[in-house]
């Protein structure tokens, strides 16, 4: 495994993800969009999953205009999708593409920035559904497609507030602690069994809509862009990290 410093500065080969099929949730905006473009640029066939189809279509157009592998658009709302929807997705992936080599759980919602004492139950439920339960259900359902890969990589998205609790981060912080825990449990269960590995990535402060929602007074120009944090994502989704399992990786020093 590379050191933390080496991962942040990882330089992928141009064909790192050739012949790999990678599903990315929340691929229409922010970090997910940057990840979709970076994966396609490194040779992957990307399944663009998300809830706003017009945004996914824009990413599709960017990838095809660049002459890269034609992506697949997969409309899915993690708030309303059921286990049956995820099972159907798995059947479609196996039927049409044969397998899945990478699964990036990127989509997430912030919820309220307010004391837990005041936290609304309906917001709590939505955050836990999108940030935790849907990701568990999707991973479980897609495992047969991942097991068909020689090197299946599952990457969950964590956060600094999922490692050390911080006031007013509410269900978001709790959901990211849950993600870190789910990664550890799943990684230990899969260790030595086959070719699927599970890790977490913490993007760190990155200029996106979510960051602006959390810190409206901040100057986004002082933050890393989503494009700048892609080396760690590519490292985890490619074969250079095939010996990495159960880790929580930082995508930037901050
Ligand atoms: P954005 O809000 O910019 O993007 C979030 C993406 O998730 C969007 O594409 C959004 O779709 C999608 N999404 C939200 N809800 C759903 C849903 N119900 N079903 C399907 N897709 C959904 O956030 P970021 O890019 O900043 O965040 C990406 C990940 O990184 C998140 O997990 C976040 O918690 C994490 N993170 C981000 C940090 C940062 O500084 N930016 C720091 C630490 C962690 P749509 O565009 O249609 O709304």
């Amino acid at each position: 495994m590379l050191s933390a410093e080496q991962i942040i500065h990882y330089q992928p080969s141009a064909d790192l993800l050739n012949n790999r099929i990678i599903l990315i949730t929340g691929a229409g905006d922010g970090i997910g969009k940057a990840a979709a473009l970076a994966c396609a640029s490194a040779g992957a066939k990307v399944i663009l999953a998300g809830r706003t189809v017009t945004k996914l279509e824009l990413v599709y157009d960017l990838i095809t205009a660049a002459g890269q592998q034609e992506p697949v658009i997969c409309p899915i709302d993690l708030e309303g999708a059921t286990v049956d929807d995820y099972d159907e997705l798995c059947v479609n992936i196996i039927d049409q593409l044969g397998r899945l080599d990478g699964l990036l759980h990127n989509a997430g919602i912030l919820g309220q920035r307010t004391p837990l004492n005041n936290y609304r139950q309906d917001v709590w439920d939505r955050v836990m559904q999108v940030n935790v339960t849907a990701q568990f259900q999707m991973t479980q359902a897609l495992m047969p497609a991942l097991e068909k890969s020689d090197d299946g990589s599952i990457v969950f998205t964590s956060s600094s507030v999922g490692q050390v609790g911080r006031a007013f981060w509410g269900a978001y912080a709790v959901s990211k602690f849950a993600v870190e825990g789910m990664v550890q449990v799943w990684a230990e269960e899969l260790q030595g069994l086959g070719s699927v590995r599970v890790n977490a990535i913490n993007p760190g402060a990155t200029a996106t809509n979510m960051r602006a929602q959390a810190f409206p007074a901040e100057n986004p120009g002082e933050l890393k862009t989503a494009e700048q944090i892609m080396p760690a994502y590519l490292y985890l989704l490619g074969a250079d990290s095939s010996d990495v399992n159960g880790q929580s990786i930082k995508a930037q020093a901050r």
Side-chain angles (χ1 to χ4, degrees), residues 26-32 50-52 55 76-79 106-109 130 157-159 172 176 202-206 208-211:
D29 214 335
I31 295 168
R51 64 179 169 179
T52 310
K55 290 187 182 181
I76 197 152
D77 183 344
L78 301 179
E79 233 182 289
N106 161 80
I109 54 174
V130 173
T157 305
S158 182
S159 164
Y172 180 83
K176 297 299 186 179
N202 174 8
T206 309
T208 65
N209 292 337
M210 183 188 286
R211 179 75 190 186

Side-chain angles (χ1 to χ4, degrees), residues 140-162:
Q140 198 182 52
L142 294 187
M143 200 58 85
L146 286 151
E147 284 169 346
K148 289 186 178 295
S149 171
D150 292 338
D151 178 36
S153 173
I154 305 171
V155 180
F156 286 86
T157 305
S158 182
S159 164
S160 304
V161 296

Side-chain angles (χ1 to χ4, degrees), residues 2 20 25 27 43 92 98 140 147 198:
L2 299 181
R20 286 175 91 93
T25 67
N92 288 338
Q140 198 182 52
E147 284 169 346
V198 186

Side-chain angles (χ1 to χ4, degrees), residues 105-185:
H105 289 293
N106 161 80
I109 54 174
L110 183 63
Q112 291 175 284
R113 298 284 320 280
T114 195
L116 281 173
N117 280 353
N118 304 337
Y119 211 89
R120 278 173 35 197
Q121 180 68 49
D122 60 326
V123 180
W124 174 279
D125 289 343
R126 286 180 55 221
V127 172
M128 297 309 274
Q129 173 63 30
V130 173
N131 294 6
V132 184
T133 307
Q135 305 192 13
F136 160 69
Q137 291 170 334
M138 186 188 281
T139 306
Q140 198 182 52
L142 294 187
M143 200 58 85
L146 286 151
E147 284 169 346
K148 289 186 178 295
S149 171
D150 292 338
D151 178 36
S153 173
I154 305 171
V155 180
F156 286 86
T157 305
S158 182
S159 164
S160 304
V161 296
Q163 292 160 348
V164 179
R166 217 179 294 158
F168 315 130
W169 282 84
Y172 180 83
V174 176
S175 75
K176 297 299 186 179
F177 267 91
V179 162
E180 292 273 354
M182 184 156 54
V183 165
Q184 289 177 19
V185 173

Side-chain angles (χ1 to χ4, degrees), residues 188-200:
E188 199 172 309
E189 289 171 1
L190 292 174
Q191 182 69 37
L193 274 190
S195 54
V196 181
R197 58 207 158 86
V198 186
N199 294 286

